[in-house]
Amino acid sequence: MLAQQVQIKPIQRNAGVRMIAPTVRKSVKVCAAQPKRVYNFSAGPAMLPMDVLQKAQADLIDWQGSGMSIMEMSHRGKEFDSVIKRAEADLRKLLNIPLNYKVLFLQGGASTQFSMIPLNLAKEGDVVDYVVTGSWSKKAFDEGKKFCKANLACKGNNKSVPAIDSWKLSADAKYVHYCDNETIQGVEFKSAPNVKATLIADMSSNFCSKPVDVSKYGLIYAGAQKNVGPAGLTIAIIREDLIGKARPSTPTMLDYKIHADNDSMYNTPPCWSIYMCGLVFEKLLSLGGLEAVQKINEEKAAVLYNTISGSNGFYNSPVDPAVRSLMNVPFTIPSKPDLEKVFIKEAGKLDLIQLKGHRSVGGMRASIYNAMPLEGVQKLAAFMKEFAAKNQ
Ligand code: PMP
């Protein structure tokens, strides 16, 4: 990184307010060389593709000759209209979203969906089913209980998914909610569970990591900040017949119909996040779509799981091999748990960062979303082998 002396032009007096004293010389860091990049295994917000960041950087001050940043322009202008429409069209292509589904760009994080879903899809006394396989589906269940008769149809042990024929599904459930990938425990469904009621999936941490048959779902939702963009945007893909059924007391901002009828612009949408997700969707399409993306993700995950299983028990993955996540790989050092802190510290020195497991479960966790390159995973695997050999 090269620090250069840059002459900042003095800003003129503006309506009587002096914004910056004239003739200020400031030392500004200008990135002339390759910027420093680490391999960031954070569970989210997480890495974004380098070329997407560079494109955003190039567009930052003047988006396509508009003389404005995306962050500065009206969401109702023709420029942003083209951004949001393109983002939606590309997402539709990626996930092959049927025409009878709406794509909504929302705020409030995936957590807001936990209450939005029961408020829109069930009345107070209605029965709804929740499948709990980890921390996030448990949170959704706890929120659902506030609004209707939420039935705990299945409670996993945070390491596996109980066989579907053991689930206690209700005959009259308005929906079945589950989490397709438990970010904290690293438990991932390998296909959509086959249920009669309307299926709802939290796909926050594996959204766009593999192809999905959207037609099996009533609603899919995901926070953007893991696989497809920065924080601030939640994407909901909802079948049209489920829209327009909110309870009368539902706050306006929590009614899917309001967002659907206004093309996600009832109020100011998270413009920057939508723009960034649009760039990511474009990139995923250019890679060959989600089949190609899945292959890369499988390869990356195999590198880590093989390192764990080839470590002679030095490392352990607590998760049933049948449902190990391609996105979040938790692991421990079972015989010497005190070494886990050392592992995380030493990895950090090699620019392998954010490997600490979630505070509720401990151990380590490597989140390897779409934007984590294979080289990052290989570097982590090499370090794991070296660390094990040194400490076995
Ligand atoms: N669901 C899952 C699977 C998650 O991983 C997260 C965030 N880590 C959430 C829901 C909550 O998302 P948000 O922080 O966007 O509310």
Side-chain angles (χ1 to χ4, degrees), residues 61 146 161 170 183 196 203 243 252 319 322 330 348:
I61 291 171
K146 294 183 188 169
V161 174
S170 319
T183 321
K196 282 206 194 89
M203 292 197 186
I243 298 173
T252 305
V319 181

Side-chain angles (χ1 to χ4, degrees), residues 108-112 114 136 179 181-183 202 204-205 223 225-226 234:
S111 303
T112 297
F114 297 165
W136 290 107
C179 178
N181 184 65
E182 283 287 356
T183 321
D202 176 355
S204 291
S205 49
Q225 68 270 22
K226 296 161 197 297
T234 308

Side-chain angles (χ1 to χ4, degrees), residues 3-64:
Q4 284 182 353
Q5 285 286 307
V6 174
Q7 179 77 45
I8 307 266
K9 278 199 192 141
I11 292 181
Q12 298 302 316
R13 279 168 190 267
N14 181 1
V17 180
R18 178 176 280 186
M19 297 173 75
I20 291 186
T23 59
V24 184
R25 259 181 96 78
K26 264 204 171 166
S27 177
V28 176
K29 282 189 173 169
V30 175
C31 296
Q34 271 295 93
K36 173 179 168 165
R37 295 288 290 167
V38 294
Y39 291 118
N40 173 13
F41 294 90
S42 163
M47 287 184 83
L48 287 166
M50 189 61 180
D51 46 359
V52 163
L53 291 174
Q54 281 165 332
K55 173 88 173 69
Q57 188 179 41
D59 280 352
L60 189 68
I61 291 171
D62 174 11
W63 181 81
Q64 297 195 4

Side-chain angles (χ1 to χ4, degrees), residues 100-102 121 174-176 178 195 197-201 213-221 236-243 256:
N100 63 328
Y101 284 73
K102 291 273 188 208
L121 304 184
K174 289 285 174 213
Y175 61 78
V176 178
Y178 82 105
V195 296
T198 299
L199 186 61
I200 298 182
D213 182 353
V214 173
S215 70
K216 293 202 166 143
Y217 296 86
L219 167 62
I220 291 170
Y221 65 95
I237 301 169
I238 180 166
R239 213 175 54 223
E240 279 170 355
D241 61 284
L242 298 173
I243 298 173
Y256 290 121

Side-chain angles (χ1 to χ4, degrees), residues 223-379:
Q225 68 270 22
K226 296 161 197 297
N227 261 318
V228 294
L233 171 64
T234 308
I235 296 171
I237 301 169
I238 180 166
R239 213 175 54 223
E240 279 170 355
D241 61 284
L242 298 173
I243 298 173
K245 298 187 168 163
R247 301 174 194 189
S249 59
T250 304
T252 305
M253 281 295 290
L254 298 186
D255 184 344
Y256 290 121
K257 184 168 164 49
I258 291 288
H259 296 285
D261 286 353
N262 291 281
D263 294 328
S264 301
M265 294 227 224
Y266 171 71
N267 71 328
T268 316
C271 303
W272 176 255
S273 300
I274 292 169
Y275 157 74
M276 288 295 288
C277 285
L279 294 184
V280 171
F281 298 151
E282 211 179 310
K283 156 118 193 153
L284 297 179
L285 283 170
S286 77
L287 289 175
L290 297 186
E291 271 98 9
V293 169
Q294 180 178 23
K295 277 210 182 91
I296 306 168
N297 285 329
E298 281 170 348
E299 191 182 350
K300 289 187 308 191
V303 170
L304 288 190
Y305 287 120
N306 290 341
T307 304
I308 294 166
S309 60
S311 71
N312 255 335
F314 184 80
Y315 299 110
N316 179 52
S317 157
V319 181
D320 172 0
V323 291
R324 283 182 180 166
S325 170
L326 294 187
M327 300 283 102
N328 310 96
V329 182
F331 57 100
T332 58
I333 303 180
S335 63
K336 299 175 184 169
D338 289 351
L339 279 180
E340 291 172 357
K341 267 196 191 121
V342 184
F343 177 99
I344 291 161
K345 202 165 162 206
E346 288 191 9
K349 289 184 196 153
L350 298 174
D351 287 342
L352 303 165
I353 71 156
Q354 295 281 336
L355 283 161
K356 197 163 181 277
H358 189 269
R359 57 192 183 281
S360 61
V361 294
M364 282 84 70
R365 172 180 51 172
S367 296
I368 49 173
Y369 300 121
N370 287 347
M372 169 60 68
L374 178 62
E375 305 84 73
V377 176
Q378 286 166 335
K379 188 170 170 186

